[in-house]
Amino acid sequence: RVKEAEAHFQVARDLEPGFLGARTTLAEIYLGVGRCREAQRIYEEIAKDTENFGGLSLPWLMAASLACQGETARAEELLQDPSPLQDIFPFGKLYALGFLGRVDEALDFATALKEERSPWLPMIVTIRATAPLYSDPRMVDLCKELGVPVPDWAQ
């Protein structure tokens, strides 16, 4: 269904070329299906397109795309980025930690998001980019606690 998602993205982009939500969602889809370089390209485009108003570097999402490609040193460096904008998309850190194989740390972070009642968490635990985390039964337990179904692809 990636082709379908890409078609919907094109419609959204035609209507509003700068629509950040559509762009980051397409990049998440790419991460989930292993098209990591394409996700990285989108994050780089967003950073370039937002330069005029301070830039939006999306360090955690970029770290996820790099970790997904096996570029662990660069991903680790971005996870340390103190940018005040990094928590706009906290799911990027969750994905990056998962791709880096740091499952305990990722699940600790997800638990912290749950405790702070992050509105993102129910959505992000069902996106394929979190697939590396499902090797740990705590991720399944987290889905149950949130009242979201465990995705078929994770079972």
Side-chain angles (χ1 to χ4, degrees):
R1 303 201 52 188
V2 174
K3 292 280 186 214
E4 185 180 342
E6 289 172 324
H8 285 291
F9 167 73
Q10 289 304 326
V11 170
R13 188 175 210 167
D14 291 345
L15 291 171
E16 178 53 60
F19 183 35
L20 186 60
R23 294 165 83 179
T24 58
T25 299
L26 182 62
E28 284 179 71
I29 290 167
Y30 286 155
L31 282 177
V33 297
R35 291 169 61 179
C36 307
R37 288 199 194 288
E38 290 168 278
Q40 179 183 351
R41 180 185 46 77
I42 290 172
Y43 299 137
E44 288 170 346
E45 286 175 5
I46 290 169
K48 182 178 181 282
D49 292 348
T50 60
E51 282 176 345
N52 291 337
F53 59 91
L56 186 59
S57 64
L58 307 172
W60 290 351
L61 287 167
M62 184 63 82
S65 69
L66 292 168
C68 179
Q69 296 174 64
E71 295 186 40
T72 57
R74 286 182 62 203
E76 292 283 1
E77 182 180 313
L78 284 172
L79 282 176
Q80 304 308 314
D81 188 331
S83 167
L85 297 175
Q86 65 189 355
D87 65 344
I88 289 176
F89 298 111
F91 46 83
K93 183 175 183 178
L94 188 67
Y95 301 162
L97 292 170
F99 284 127
L100 290 168
R102 292 164 49 185
V103 174
D104 286 337
E105 198 174 336
L107 290 170
D108 288 346
F109 183 68
T111 300
L113 290 175
K114 182 188 84 165
E115 288 170 2
E116 69 183 39
R117 303 178 63 79
S118 170
W120 296 102
L121 194 55
M123 177 191 75
I124 64 177
V125 297
T126 59
I127 293 176
R128 284 189 181 268
T130 59
L133 304 178
Y134 281 94
S135 63
D136 190 303
R138 293 176 293 171
M139 186 66 170
V140 174
D141 292 343
L142 180 61
C143 283
K144 290 177 183 172
E145 287 177 41
L146 294 170
V148 296
V150 175
D152 292 340
W153 49 263
Q155 297 180 29

